[in-house]
Amino acid sequence: QVQLVESGGGVVQPGGSLRLSCVASGSIFSINAMGWYRQAPGKARELVAELSSGGMPVYADSVKGRFAISRDNAKNTVYLQMNSLKPEDTAVYYCSADIQEDRWDLETDYWGQGTQVTVSS
């Protein structure tokens, strides 16, 4: 069974920074894309940033220049460095990963439980 566990959320003032982490564990043969999504109250879940294995990062226009996604493949971990945070960044942030559990399996999209990020003065 594969699990994604996020950490690093919290409350921060506008202009502040937070770093989110997400660790994938369990039966993992390979991981392709890993990414971060967010969902604010009353809004649909949206892509924040995504990074495929060996590929270029993709960012939502609203976070370009402020957020940076990175990953440590040896640790099955993806990070999201969030700088210059704004109140509109307030949301639950979810980690996602496309994971192949066995060499003969297709990839499955797994999700973490979410971590709350609140930007408020």
Side-chain angles (χ1 to χ4, degrees):
Q1 188 70 13
V2 173
Q3 281 190 315
L4 301 182
V5 179
E6 301 108 332
S7 60
V11 180
V12 63
Q13 292 187 340
S17 298
L18 283 174
R19 189 192 194 209
L20 305 182
S21 300
C22 172
V23 181
S25 63
S27 177
I28 297 173
F29 175 74
S30 67
I31 303 178
N32 189 2
M34 299 186 82
W36 292 92
Y37 290 71
R38 67 186 181 188
Q39 188 167 20
K43 294 188 176 181
R45 189 173 297 188
E46 63 175 0
L47 173 69
V48 177
E50 187 175 68
L51 184 59
S52 61
S53 179
M56 294 294 291
V58 174
Y59 295 99
D61 287 342
S62 59
V63 307
K64 283 180 181 176
R66 300 188 298 121
F67 291 10
I69 188 171
S70 61
R71 58 191 284 180
D72 184 335
N73 292 328
K75 296 181 179 180
N76 291 338
T77 301
V78 63
Y79 305 96
L80 185 68
Q81 178 66 44
M82 304 185 294
N83 300 323
S84 302
L85 282 161
K86 305 175 181 180
E88 51 263 43
D89 294 318
T90 296
V92 177
Y93 284 70
Y94 296 91
C95 171
S96 174
D98 296 332
I99 294 174
Q100 188 179 4
E101 294 183 55
D102 185 273
R103 65 169 60 235
W104 310 114
D105 287 341
L106 297 176
E107 290 180 356
T108 299
D109 191 17
Y110 286 93
W111 292 84
Q113 79 287 353
T115 185
Q116 177 70 46
V117 171
T118 301
V119 184
S120 174
S121 55

